[in-house]
Amino acid sequence: DQQVKQNSPSLSVQEGRISILNCDYTNSMFDYFLWYKKYPAEGPTFLISISSIKDKNEDGRFTVFLNKSAKHLSLHIVPSQPGDSAVYFCAASDGGSQGNLIFGKGTKLSVKP
Amino acid sequence: DAGVTQSPTHLIKTRGQQVTLRCSPKSGHDTVSWYQQALGQGPQFIFQYYEEEERQRGNFPDRFSGHQFPNYSSELNVNALLLGDSALYLCASSLGQSLGSYEQYFGPGTRLTVT
């Protein structure tokens, strides 16, 4: 049973527009959420994170929103650039597991020039 | 500042053999986690090492074992390889939990193919 779900395997967006990647989770004990970006033949790169005590965290073009009641988080990229084309993974952790990250299956983002 | 490094980058082994993968954490990090990423899936947690001890383990059989050295580098060993062990093996480093950091930084991975 998947605890972290990314239901969209792929997303295509025009350069300059907003990209919205979604993630749902089932475990209410999760208290920290992270987004990673992965290019082919490279390891995942940490992008941005959010604690469950917040509902928004922003870093440059990247903003993560957390809706705890809906057990849903989203990553917004504005404006999208062709270099953002990659697979994006949502991950979650509960403090008691000492850092075991549980990942979704990923969403492949394609940003068209 | 050196990031997480892993060796080798690619490896081909035969069923039943044993393999050892190596990882050096990011400078200043003391905790190493190992993940297995199958094709089309997200990384799956194998285990985590802190202070040379296995601190937590995911749902992987005992064929998967590891070690952490005093310099914080780590090894992942897999015995009696199965075809299903073919995957990308990722190492991630982080600061100890006592510092409240959840962010893990990944290496490029080792691609293991079992034939």
Side-chain angles (χ1 to χ4, degrees), chain A residues 31-51:
Chain A
D31 61 358
Y32 205 82
F33 303 89
L34 307 91
W35 284 94
Y36 285 84
K37 176 172 72 173
K38 188 178 186 301
Y39 294 118
E42 294 184 13
T45 302
F46 170 71
L47 265 180
I48 191 169
S49 61
I50 187 167
S51 164

Side-chain angles (χ1 to χ4, degrees), chain A residues 69-111:
Chain A
S69 61
K71 294 191 177 69
H72 176 83
L73 65 157
S74 60
L75 174 68
H76 292 210
I77 307 173
V78 183
S80 301
Q81 300 172 354
D84 295 329
S85 297
V87 178
Y88 288 77
F89 290 98
C90 169
S93 175
D94 70 65
S97 64
Q98 299 288 319
N100 167 14
L101 296 181
I102 297 174
F103 284 82
K105 291 187 176 182
T107 297
K108 184 176 182 179
L109 173 66
S110 299
V111 181

Side-chain angles (χ1 to χ4, degrees), chain B:
Chain B
D1 178 22
V4 179
T5 60
Q6 292 186 244
S7 63
T9 53
H10 295 87
L11 205 50
I12 299 175
K13 290 287 190 177
T14 304
R15 270 183 305 175
Q17 285 188 316
Q18 178 264 345
V19 68
T20 297
L21 311 181
R22 294 176 176 83
C23 171
S24 291
K26 181 178 167 67
S27 178
H29 284 182
D30 58 5
T31 302
V32 173
S33 302
W34 286 92
Y35 292 80
Q36 180 195 67
Q37 185 178 15
L39 204 60
Q41 303 293 316
Q44 192 171 358
F45 177 75
I46 303 174
F47 43 53
Q48 183 179 79
Y49 277 83
Y50 174 69
E51 292 186 342
E52 301 180 50
E53 297 282 337
E54 182 182 293
R55 181 156 69 175
Q56 192 186 7
R57 188 179 186 92
N59 189 24
F60 279 80
D62 291 344
R63 299 186 297 108
F64 290 77
S65 63
H67 189 78
Q68 186 179 35
F69 299 93
N71 67 354
Y72 307 122
S73 66
S74 176
E75 288 182 350
L76 164 65
N77 300 293
V78 187
N79 294 323
L81 284 166
L82 303 173
L83 294 179
D85 295 332
S86 295
L88 180 68
Y89 287 85
L90 294 162
C91 169
S93 73
S94 55
L95 291 170
Q97 187 65 28
S98 60
L99 297 178
S101 172
Y102 291 80
E103 285 85 12
Q104 297 183 14
Y105 294 83
F106 285 83
T110 293
R111 172 71 61 187
L112 172 65
T113 302
V114 182
T115 63

